[in-house]
Amino acid sequence: MKWKLTRRNILLLICCIYAAEATPCISRDYGNGGTVCVCNGTYCDSTPEYEVPDVGSYIRYTSSEDGLPLSMTQGVFDDGNTSADIILRLEPDITYQRIHGFGGAMTDSAAINIKSLSEGAQENVLRSYFGEEGSEYNLVRVPIAGTDYSIRIYTYDDYDGDVSLEKFSLADEDLIYKIPLMQKALELNPRLRFFAASWTAPSWMKTNDYYLCQDGFLLEEYYQVYADYIIKFMDEYKEHGLEMWAISTGNEPVNGILPESIYNCMAWTPQGIANWVAENLGPTISRSNHSETLIFTLDDQRSRLSWFVEEMFENELAKNYTAGIAVHWYFDQMSSTNLLDETHSNYSDKFLLLTEAAIWNATADTYVSLGCWDRAEQYILDIIENLEHWVTGWVDWNLALDIDSGPAWDNNTLDASIVVNADEDEFYKQPMFYAIAHFSKFIPRESVRVELSMSQDETSVKSVAFKTPENETVLVIYNMSTEEQQVTVSDPERGNFTLQLPYKSIQTILYK
Ligand SMILES: *[C@@H]1O[C@H](CO)[C@@H](O)[C@H](O)[C@H]1NC(C)=O
Ligand SMILES: *[C@@H]1O[C@H](CO)[C@@H](O)[C@H](O)[C@H]1NC(C)=O
Ligand SMILES: *[C@@H]1O[C@H](CO)[C@@H](O)[C@H](O)[C@H]1NC(C)=O
Ligand SMILES: *[C@@H]1O[C@H](CO)[C@@H](O)[C@H](O)[C@H]1NC(C)=O
Ligand SMILES: *[C@@H]1O[C@H](CO)[C@@H](O)[C@H](O)[C@H]1NC(C)=O
Ligand SMILES: *[C@@H]1O[C@H](CO)[C@@H](O)[C@H](O)[C@H]1NC(C)=O
Ligand SMILES: *[C@@H]1O[C@H](CO)[C@@H](O)[C@H](O)[C@H]1NC(C)=O
Ligand SMILES: *[C@@H]1O[C@H](CO)[C@@H](O)[C@H](O)[C@H]1NC(C)=O
Ligand SMILES: *[C@@H]1O[C@H](CO)[C@@H](O)[C@H](O)[C@H]1NC(C)=O
Ligand SMILES: *[C@@H]1O[C@H](CO)[C@@H](O)[C@H](O)[C@H]1NC(C)=O
């Protein structure tokens, strides 16, 4: 076919040259120590698919407190400076965990916020998270019915005593909001995996006959009905083309025991959950059309690894049915990473996954802090810390909130990586968004963490390294120091290069 200079071809040519370029961030400063990137129905910053250069060179993406997210530069292995202050030595033969991925949660509130935008802006949110030119998220957490980030309190069967689950039905929140967005996300990234968690059983199945925590346990007579309820949820989503890669035994079971918890939840003892998994959930999933769906447990704070999981796994059948253990990030600073290491060594066939993180600062002036770099730093440090201790992925909480941290029936007060302003048909990509992208975009599923040793105990530089399935090397480095220092990266197979990292900057470095 002869190529003619038609109007369409000229447009195609312009479009494709344009598409290969990064679309720059339109930044805005709200005075919170950093900037957001502003997107709307016709404009959004993007980072094109990258190509890792031939052996001898590397590419480097940088984001920092003063803007310019994910800006790319190239460099070469030039032997570096062997007397630099810090030497990061890659030891590719020492390998650790295999990565599952990174993502966020499609809560009711997130879906309602995204859907409050014009079609074009919705598309830009989804492309930002799931597209090739975006963060390439490959995990999405899906709540089973209501959570604290819903606009009302509900489950899928709020009819007292409906033990046959005849009246079970998905809600508008699923059919109108979450499902269409999840379908679109899956189109954008076919490698996307969904995993689900229920916050509570319907009230009538519980000892407190109530949706909230307050010592509400599942009544033993409903153990099987509740397992059937979860299968029904999976059946209905499957009819919409959405299969669950994994299912949680329930969100934050320990909070259910605490009297002060005032949102949707259900309490479990380790023995109770073990019996339910061994006798009900496990066998019911095995017999169902979802026999490939994995079960993971805990889905609660790290500090609870020590006793909850240990006691639960005294039931060997429950342990056998359980493929993984999920942790949340709240209070990570107060609990030792030894718990992750020990859990890994005690149960090395169970994966560890971080399934919820969000900034919660009750003493801040506003719950959502637009542009705040300090919050991105908290994310970065927690992601690196978890990856350094056997965790196979890291999943943010609400994919989108509004400026008042809502809508949420309980007026919860968390921040989010994307904040939606429906009045202006705009949304804001926060530093936290780019913090996660520095990992999610460059560390594909099945990458393996490899040893990256530091020449000295330098707490102001944090780093972690991976080999991708294509044998490319990915390093993520964060500089918290205000002191002048140089860092030399040393790879026994490739040579050395030396970097000067801007203050409060995150770098992702890739090479063959
Ligand atoms: C969308 O954003 C772009 C870039 O900032 C701007 O030029 C355009 O006017 C915006 N569109 C609307 C409708 O605000
Ligand atoms: C790279 O750095 C390491 C650590 O300082 C050093 O031992 C090695 O000789 C360097 N290699 C080259 C090619 O400069
Ligand atoms: C190498 O690093 C040392 C220590 O940071 C520094 O004193 C020296 O100037 C560096 N040399 C070069 C060539 O950058
Ligand atoms: C599995 O799916 C098929 C086809 O949709 C259905 O006929 C069958 O009843 C399902 N099996 C179970 C155990 O739910
Ligand atoms: C790991 O096993 C040891 C020995 O049984 C036990 O003392 C420890 O509490 C366990 N730790 C975790 C986090 O399971
Ligand atoms: C659990 O799995 C192990 C290893 O496959 C097996 O030996 C054991 O019998 C199983 N235990 C139960 C209670 O099924
Ligand atoms: C919470 O916000 C206040 C006020 O902005 C700030 O001083 C404090 O450091 C924040 N706390 C955390 C843990 O980030
Ligand atoms: C949430 O805030 C609204 C408006 O201030 C108030 O009417 C409502 O009672 C609050 N709900 C809860 C559960 O605190
Ligand atoms: C990656 O490297 C390993 C070990 O050197 C080799 O066995 C494997 O075939 C390589 N994979 C690819 C995709 O190049
Ligand atoms: C970290 O940032 C500070 C302040 O900009 C700088 O002086 C220092 O050299 C940087 N550290 C590294 C390892 O590049």
Side-chain angles (χ1 to χ4, degrees):
M1 204 181 90
K2 247 172 96 191
W3 200 86
K4 278 202 278 185
L5 207 63
T6 60
R7 194 178 126 81
R8 181 171 168 273
N9 279 337
I10 290 170
L11 280 177
L12 263 176
L13 193 67
I14 293 170
C15 113
C16 298
I17 291 168
Y18 179 70
E21 298 271 315
T23 312
C25 162
I26 306 284
S27 68
R28 194 179 290 167
D29 188 341
Y30 285 88
N32 294 316
T35 55
V36 296
C37 296
V38 182
C39 295
N40 61 23
T42 56
Y43 191 93
C44 197
D45 57 290
S46 68
T47 310
E49 255 314 74
Y50 54 89
E51 205 167 310
V52 179
D54 286 339
V55 171
S57 303
Y58 61 86
I59 50 173
R60 163 183 178 189
Y61 286 88
T62 305
S63 302
S64 67
E65 191 172 0
D66 29 274
L68 287 182
L70 293 169
S71 57
M72 204 243 300
T73 51
Q74 282 214 29
V76 292
F77 283 82
D78 58 2
D79 296 348
N81 179 351
T82 46
S83 55
D85 310 276
I86 299 170
I87 314 271
L88 292 176
R89 188 197 313 275
L90 193 81
E91 299 184 43
D93 296 335
I94 306 180
T95 57
Y96 300 92
Q97 76 275 28
R98 202 167 279 280
I99 293 302
H100 277 112
F102 301 87
M106 189 63 84
T107 60
D108 291 349
S109 303
I112 289 166
N113 281 314
I114 297 170
K115 283 271 186 181
S116 71
L117 295 166
S118 65
E119 288 280 338
Q122 288 180 35
E123 172 92 16
N124 281 337
V125 172
L126 295 176
R127 286 192 176 279
S128 293
Y129 275 133
F130 303 104
E132 275 191 350
E133 71 281 40
S135 303
E136 301 184 53
Y137 275 11
N138 60 13
L139 291 177
V140 163
R141 186 178 191 215
V142 187
I144 300 174
T147 73
D148 46 330
Y149 274 97
S150 297
I151 56 171
R152 64 193 177 99
I153 303 172
Y154 68 99
T155 72
Y156 295 137
D157 195 332
D158 294 320
Y159 299 93
D160 282 1
D162 183 26
V163 292
S164 62
L165 302 176
E166 249 167 56
K167 295 179 178 151
F168 179 103
S169 69
L170 294 185
D172 283 353
E173 282 87 338
D174 302 280
L175 299 169
I176 298 172
Y177 294 93
K178 290 157 69 177
I179 288 174
L181 293 172
M182 287 165 64
Q183 288 169 331
K184 186 79 218 228
L186 188 57
E187 269 172 42
L188 287 167
N189 184 1
R191 287 168 63 80
L192 185 58
R193 283 176 176 164
F194 300 106
F195 62 91
S198 173
W199 264 239
T200 178
S203 300
W204 54 269
M205 295 187 197
K206 293 170 69 184
T207 53
N208 62 348
D209 194 14
Y210 199 38
Y211 299 97
L212 309 188
C213 311
Q214 295 157 4
D215 246 356
F217 292 83
L218 186 65
L219 287 161
E220 267 183 65
E221 63 198 282
Y222 295 127
Y223 271 25
Q224 186 55 41
V225 180
Y226 185 49
D228 294 341
Y229 170 95
I230 285 169
I231 302 295
K232 255 182 145 30
F233 155 82
M234 289 203 274
D235 287 343
E236 301 254 344
Y237 265 64
K238 192 173 179 175
E239 283 188 17
H240 294 275
L242 301 170
E243 293 189 52
M244 296 300 140
W245 161 67
I247 192 112
S248 162
T249 53
N251 180 69
E252 297 186 353
V254 181
N255 280 0
I257 306 168
L258 308 174
E260 67 269 25
S261 305
I262 47 128
Y263 51 87
N264 327 41
C265 73
M266 184 161 81
W268 282 109
T269 62
Q271 293 75 20
I273 212 164
N275 287 337
W276 179 64
V277 169
E279 307 301 329
N280 308 99
L281 185 69
T284 309
I285 287 183
S286 296
R287 290 194 300 268
S288 76
N289 281 335
H290 314 281
S291 56
E292 303 289 301
T293 300
L294 304 176
I295 296 173
F296 65 84
T297 194
L298 192 62
D299 220 356
D300 207 326
Q301 315 315 326
R302 181 194 292 171
S303 60
R304 289 154 187 173
L305 282 168
S306 52
W307 59 279
F308 195 91
V309 175
E310 258 186 287
E311 287 183 31
M312 174 180 173
F313 283 177
E314 281 169 16
N315 181 327
E316 199 184 42
L317 192 50
K319 180 177 163 188
N320 282 5
Y321 273 121
T322 306
I325 301 164
V327 287
H328 292 184
W329 95 318
Y330 308 95
F331 318 110
D332 269 4
Q333 320 84 295
M334 286 147 71
S335 72
S336 163
T337 51
N338 287 343
L339 287 170
L340 296 170
D341 296 338
E342 270 181 35
T343 303
H344 170 75
S345 81
N346 288 359
Y347 315 110
S348 56
D349 60 333
K350 314 292 180 204
F351 66 80
L352 282 163
L353 182 67
L354 190 137
T355 51
E356 190 180 312
I359 298 281
W360 174 54
N361 183 346
T363 62
D365 304 336
T366 55
Y367 303 127
V368 167
S369 184
L370 287 177
C372 178
W373 179 267
D374 179 63
R375 294 182 171 196
E377 179 176 290
Q378 292 179 46
Y379 268 30
I380 293 163
L381 298 179
D382 195 73
I383 296 171
I384 293 178
E385 179 181 275
N386 277 281
L387 291 173
E388 282 186 309
H389 295 278
W390 300 101
V391 175
T392 63
W394 201 93
V395 180
D396 197 11
W397 182 218
N398 297 283
L399 284 167
L401 288 177
D402 69 21
I403 188 75
D404 299 315
S405 183
W409 70 266
D410 72 338
N411 304 328
N412 206 339
T413 56
L414 304 177
D415 205 341
S417 295
I418 282 186
V419 175
V420 160
N421 179 349
D423 293 340
E424 302 291 336
D425 195 36
E426 284 183 344
F427 65 91
Y428 311 118
K429 287 155 81 170
Q430 298 249 55
M432 291 182 284
F433 172 93
Y434 298 97
I436 303 171
H438 266 271
F439 301 86
S440 62
K441 188 171 180 59
F442 306 107
I443 307 168
R445 177 172 302 142
E446 298 296 324
S447 293
V448 173
R449 182 166 82 84
V450 294
E451 178 71 17
L452 184 66
S453 63
M454 206 176 309
S455 58
Q456 51 170 302
D457 221 9
E458 178 51 72
T459 51
S460 60
V461 172
K462 301 284 177 193
S463 58
V464 64
F466 299 86
K467 280 273 187 198
T468 70
E470 260 67 61
N471 283 341
E472 289 160 2
T473 301
V474 184
L475 308 173
V476 187
I477 312 177
Y478 188 66
N479 178 14
M480 295 169 73
S481 172
T482 48
E483 311 263 295
E484 193 166 332
Q485 293 161 319
Q486 282 188 325
V487 53
T488 293
V489 174
S490 174
D491 181 328
E493 288 163 8
R494 292 285 176 265
N496 299 343
F497 58 88
T498 297
L499 298 173
Q500 197 73 41
L501 315 173
Y503 178 50
K504 302 261 180 196
S505 72
I506 180 168
Q507 325 275 322
T508 301
I509 291 154
L510 301 110
Y511 61 86
K512 281 194 175 128

